[in-house]
Amino acid sequence: MANGQWYPPEWPDRIRALASGELTPATPRRAATVMLLRDGAEQGAPEVHMLRRRASMAFAGGAYAYPGGGVDPRDDDRLVRWAGPTRASWAARLGVDGEAEAQAIVCAAVRETYEEAGVLLAGPTADTVVGDTTGDDWEADREALVARDVSFAEFLDRRGLVLRSDLLGAWARWITPEFEPRRYDTFFFVAALPAGQRTRNASTEADRTVWIRPPEAAARYDKGELLMMPPTISTLRALSPHPTPAAALAAAPAQTMTPVLAEARVENGNLILSWPGHDEFTKHIPGSKA
């Protein structure tokens, strides 16, 4: 392949089935993912935390991604301890209906980052962040969250912690193509690694984690060395110009949250798959049946 774009072989058949009306699109599930940044060894060269999905995974096996996952239904069933922009402000920024939905998406971003990377964007007060979270007691709580034995609100209450929504910046929104059997409406956030905390591979879905400069990761994708889905490489390219995590966070409000959804059409028996506004991902599949 010319680059590292993740492209499953079953897509053409599914696209044809969608075009012929044989396939009914699944309803996308709300999800959140976080591009966690830290200062790199070189000045002006921040690094982003990425994980490689296990090859055995049904969706995007072997692809590099960021920590993230689906919204837990309990993420919006009660108010959580909250700091930063109001829930109403987040609803407007994310383009969703209601404060409860905004809370659920932000909670998913913070919770999934803790579950998959061991990093927690919360603190005892509205202007503090917890330090090292690698102790046995923290691990027990993290595992309870992963198992859904406790909700994120219960976890915060038990620990006396406040969710620091001000440490997140909304960056992008991508929706899984309609021909995929498992679909997600994913909100991408950017955040800086809190002082005193460190990442680790806490995800059962990943076999490797790395800290890597966005331009380097993008260059290795272009060479076909790193496999990625379009949203991942797109956001990496958008991060590349920013010299520090703080600069990336400051740039977040200017990023568009208009959803990106792939379009597939049949022309003269050939399939054309495209992502509006992202021409580099356009695929022309010859010889397909109408």
Side-chain angles (χ1 to χ4, degrees):
M1 60 184 172
N3 57 29
Q5 183 175 344
W6 178 72
Y7 183 81
E10 65 271 16
W11 269 12
D13 287 342
R14 296 191 63 85
I15 292 171
R16 287 195 295 269
L18 179 67
S20 66
E22 300 172 17
L23 178 67
T24 300
T27 300
R29 178 187 175 192
R30 289 289 167 90
T33 188
V34 176
M35 301 177 289
L36 197 61
L37 300 172
R38 73 177 184 185
D39 290 317
E42 302 177 19
Q43 186 176 5
E47 299 170 330
V48 62
H49 179 69
M50 304 189 76
L51 53 84
R52 184 176 65 187
R53 294 173 60 82
R54 294 186 184 277
S56 59
M57 296 297 295
F59 182 79
Y64 280 79
Y66 313 113
V71 167
D72 183 337
R74 297 174 297 176
D75 285 337
D76 65 355
D77 65 0
R78 59 185 279 195
L79 293 179
V80 302
R81 297 169 178 257
W82 189 274
T86 65
R87 293 167 178 82
S89 296
W90 274 110
R93 174 65 180 133
L94 299 176
V96 298
D97 296 327
E99 297 181 20
E101 189 170 6
Q103 173 182 289
I105 294 166
V106 173
C107 276
V110 176
R111 174 178 48 74
E112 289 286 340
T113 302
Y114 182 49
E115 290 181 8
E116 296 201 336
V119 171
L120 183 59
L121 304 176
T125 64
D127 57 0
T128 59
V129 185
V130 297
D132 186 7
T133 61
T134 59
D136 291 342
D137 57 334
W138 284 104
E139 179 60 15
D141 280 349
R142 192 196 65 79
E143 291 180 350
L145 283 169
V146 172
R148 300 297 182 258
D149 291 336
V150 298
S151 70
F152 194 56
E154 291 169 337
F155 164 73
L156 293 175
D157 285 346
R158 179 189 302 171
R159 287 276 181 177
L161 297 175
V162 179
L163 183 150
R164 292 287 306 275
S165 79
D166 55 314
L167 299 181
L168 288 167
W171 194 268
R173 181 180 179 183
W174 288 67
I175 302 176
T176 308
E178 292 183 331
F179 46 82
E180 267 292 298
R182 300 174 63 182
R183 302 183 63 214
Y184 297 92
D185 182 355
T186 304
F187 295 80
F188 286 73
F189 295 86
V190 64
L193 178 68
Q197 294 193 40
R198 58 184 185 272
T199 58
R200 57 195 177 89
N201 184 8
S203 172
T204 59
E205 299 180 353
D207 60 11
R208 184 185 183 212
T209 61
V210 296
W211 281 100
I212 188 170
R213 295 185 303 108
E216 178 186 350
R220 293 183 64 185
Y221 164 90
D222 290 335
K223 295 176 182 178
E225 296 175 358
L226 298 184
L227 187 68
M228 298 181 203
M229 293 175 284
T232 308
I233 181 60
S234 173
T235 50
L236 272 175
R237 295 199 197 285
L239 283 175
S240 295
H242 303 292
T244 64
L249 276 165
Q255 304 300 312
T256 178
M257 295 302 291
T258 301
V260 180
L261 175 64
E263 297 177 350
R265 65 185 187 275
V266 180
E267 290 186 2
N268 300 320
N270 298 326
L271 288 179
I272 301 176
L273 177 61
S274 62
W275 280 259
H278 301 270
D279 291 343
E280 74 165 295
F281 305 126
T282 300
K283 288 282 186 181
H284 295 263
I285 309 168
S288 300
K289 299 176 183 178

Short mmCIF file of all heavy atoms in Angstrom, two decimals, residues 11 19 27 32 57 63 71 73 79 94 99 108 113 116 119 176 197 236 246 253 256 269 284 288:
data_model
loop_
_atom_site.label_atom_id
_atom_site.label_comp_id
_atom_site.label_asym_id
_atom_site.label_seq_id
_atom_site.Cartn_x
_atom_site.Cartn_y
_atom_site.Cartn_z
N TRP A 11 -14.88 -3.86 2.68
CA TRP A 11 -15.58 -2.60 2.45
C TRP A 11 -16.28 -2.53 1.08
O TRP A 11 -17.44 -2.12 1.02
CB TRP A 11 -14.61 -1.43 2.60
CG TRP A 11 -14.58 -0.89 4.01
CD1 TRP A 11 -15.12 -1.47 5.13
CD2 TRP A 11 -13.96 0.31 4.44
NE1 TRP A 11 -14.86 -0.71 6.23
CE2 TRP A 11 -14.16 0.40 5.84
CE3 TRP A 11 -13.27 1.32 3.79
CZ2 TRP A 11 -13.69 1.47 6.59
CZ3 TRP A 11 -12.79 2.39 4.55
CH2 TRP A 11 -13.00 2.46 5.93
N ALA A 19 -25.39 0.71 -1.25
CA ALA A 19 -25.88 1.44 -2.42
C ALA A 19 -27.13 0.78 -3.01
O ALA A 19 -28.01 1.47 -3.54
CB ALA A 19 -24.79 1.52 -3.48
N THR A 27 -26.96 2.42 13.82
CA THR A 27 -26.95 3.71 14.51
C THR A 27 -25.61 3.90 15.21
O THR A 27 -25.17 3.02 15.96
CB THR A 27 -28.07 3.78 15.56
OG1 THR A 27 -29.33 3.61 14.89
CG2 THR A 27 -28.06 5.11 16.28
N ALA A 32 -15.66 8.91 22.65
CA ALA A 32 -14.70 10.00 22.83
C ALA A 32 -13.29 9.43 22.85
O ALA A 32 -13.07 8.30 23.31
CB ALA A 32 -14.97 10.76 24.13
N MET A 57 -8.23 -7.67 16.97
CA MET A 57 -9.43 -6.86 17.14
C MET A 57 -10.25 -6.85 15.85
O MET A 57 -9.71 -6.72 14.75
CB MET A 57 -9.06 -5.43 17.53
CG MET A 57 -8.36 -5.31 18.88
SD MET A 57 -9.41 -5.84 20.25
CE MET A 57 -10.70 -4.61 20.17
N ALA A 63 -4.04 -1.15 13.91
CA ALA A 63 -3.97 0.29 13.65
C ALA A 63 -3.58 1.05 14.91
O ALA A 63 -3.93 0.66 16.03
CB ALA A 63 -5.30 0.80 13.13
N VAL A 71 -19.38 5.91 25.13
CA VAL A 71 -20.03 6.52 26.28
C VAL A 71 -20.72 5.44 27.11
O VAL A 71 -21.37 4.55 26.57
CB VAL A 71 -21.06 7.58 25.82
CG1 VAL A 71 -21.97 8.02 26.96
CG2 VAL A 71 -20.33 8.79 25.22
N PRO A 73 -23.70 4.49 29.46
CA PRO A 73 -25.03 5.08 29.70
C PRO A 73 -25.14 5.80 31.04
O PRO A 73 -25.93 6.73 31.19
CB PRO A 73 -25.96 3.86 29.64
CG PRO A 73 -25.26 2.90 28.75
CD PRO A 73 -23.80 3.08 29.05
N LEU A 79 -25.36 14.13 37.98
CA LEU A 79 -24.33 15.16 37.85
C LEU A 79 -23.05 14.69 38.52
O LEU A 79 -23.08 14.15 39.63
CB LEU A 79 -24.80 16.46 38.49
CG LEU A 79 -25.98 17.18 37.81
CD1 LEU A 79 -26.33 18.44 38.58
CD2 LEU A 79 -25.63 17.53 36.36
N LEU A 94 -19.70 21.16 21.42
CA LEU A 94 -19.73 19.84 20.81
C LEU A 94 -20.85 19.69 19.79
O LEU A 94 -20.85 18.74 19.00
CB LEU A 94 -19.89 18.77 21.90
CG LEU A 94 -18.76 18.70 22.94
CD1 LEU A 94 -19.10 17.67 24.02
CD2 LEU A 94 -17.42 18.36 22.29
N GLU A 99 -27.33 19.40 28.24
CA GLU A 99 -26.18 19.35 29.13
C GLU A 99 -25.82 17.92 29.52
O GLU A 99 -24.65 17.59 29.70
CB GLU A 99 -26.46 20.18 30.37
CG GLU A 99 -26.67 21.66 30.07
CD GLU A 99 -26.93 22.49 31.32
OE1 GLU A 99 -26.58 22.01 32.43
OE2 GLU A 99 -27.47 23.60 31.21
N ALA A 108 -16.80 10.47 29.19
CA ALA A 108 -16.22 9.35 28.44
C ALA A 108 -14.77 9.63 28.10
O ALA A 108 -13.91 8.74 28.18
CB ALA A 108 -17.04 9.08 27.19
N THR A 113 -9.54 7.74 29.11
CA THR A 113 -8.12 8.04 29.22
C THR A 113 -7.54 7.38 30.47
O THR A 113 -6.42 6.86 30.46
CB THR A 113 -7.88 9.55 29.26
OG1 THR A 113 -8.43 10.15 28.08
CG2 THR A 113 -6.40 9.88 29.30
N GLU A 116 -7.58 3.38 29.86
CA GLU A 116 -6.68 2.83 28.86
C GLU A 116 -5.24 3.32 28.98
O GLU A 116 -4.33 2.66 28.49
CB GLU A 116 -7.19 3.15 27.46
CG GLU A 116 -8.53 2.49 27.14
CD GLU A 116 -8.80 2.37 25.66
OE1 GLU A 116 -8.21 3.15 24.88
OE2 GLU A 116 -9.57 1.47 25.28
N VAL A 119 -4.12 7.70 33.05
CA VAL A 119 -4.00 9.15 33.28
C VAL A 119 -5.36 9.70 33.63
O VAL A 119 -6.33 9.46 32.91
CB VAL A 119 -3.42 9.85 32.04
CG1 VAL A 119 -3.51 11.37 32.17
CG2 VAL A 119 -1.98 9.41 31.82
N THR A 176 -18.20 7.02 11.97
CA THR A 176 -17.87 5.82 11.20
C THR A 176 -18.77 5.72 9.97
O THR A 176 -19.97 5.98 10.06
CB THR A 176 -18.05 4.57 12.09
OG1 THR A 176 -17.34 4.75 13.31
CG2 THR A 176 -17.52 3.33 11.38
N GLN A 197 1.97 12.54 36.65
CA GLN A 197 1.35 11.33 36.13
C GLN A 197 2.16 10.77 34.96
O GLN A 197 2.91 11.49 34.30
CB GLN A 197 -0.09 11.61 35.68
CG GLN A 197 -1.03 11.99 36.81
CD GLN A 197 -2.49 11.95 36.39
OE1 GLN A 197 -2.91 11.05 35.67
NE2 GLN A 197 -3.27 12.92 36.85
N LEU A 236 -3.53 13.94 13.57
CA LEU A 236 -2.07 14.05 13.73
C LEU A 236 -1.52 15.18 12.89
O LEU A 236 -0.69 15.97 13.35
CB LEU A 236 -1.40 12.73 13.33
CG LEU A 236 -1.23 11.66 14.38
CD1 LEU A 236 -0.65 10.40 13.75
CD2 LEU A 236 -0.33 12.13 15.52
N ALA A 246 0.53 23.24 25.34
CA ALA A 246 -0.27 24.43 25.65
C ALA A 246 -0.74 25.12 24.37
O ALA A 246 -1.87 25.62 24.29
CB ALA A 246 0.53 25.39 26.52
N PRO A 253 -10.12 25.76 20.39
CA PRO A 253 -11.40 26.44 20.11
C PRO A 253 -11.62 26.81 18.65
O PRO A 253 -12.76 26.99 18.22
CB PRO A 253 -11.33 27.69 21.01
CG PRO A 253 -10.41 27.31 22.12
CD PRO A 253 -9.38 26.44 21.46
N THR A 256 -12.84 23.03 13.85
CA THR A 256 -14.24 22.79 13.53
C THR A 256 -14.72 21.48 14.13
O THR A 256 -13.99 20.49 14.14
CB THR A 256 -14.48 22.77 12.01
OG1 THR A 256 -15.86 22.48 11.76
CG2 THR A 256 -13.63 21.71 11.33
N GLY A 269 -19.82 1.75 -12.70
CA GLY A 269 -19.44 0.46 -12.16
C GLY A 269 -18.29 0.50 -11.17
O GLY A 269 -17.93 -0.53 -10.61
N HIS A 284 -10.54 5.08 -5.06
CA HIS A 284 -11.21 4.69 -6.30
C HIS A 284 -11.06 3.17 -6.43
O HIS A 284 -9.93 2.67 -6.50
CB HIS A 284 -10.60 5.39 -7.51
CG HIS A 284 -10.79 6.88 -7.49
ND1 HIS A 284 -11.82 7.50 -8.17
CD2 HIS A 284 -10.11 7.85 -6.85
CE1 HIS A 284 -11.74 8.80 -7.96
NE2 HIS A 284 -10.71 9.05 -7.17
N SER A 288 -15.99 -2.62 -9.69
CA SER A 288 -17.04 -3.00 -8.74
C SER A 288 -18.35 -3.14 -9.47
O SER A 288 -18.60 -2.47 -10.47
CB SER A 288 -17.15 -1.97 -7.63
OG SER A 288 -15.93 -1.85 -6.93
#
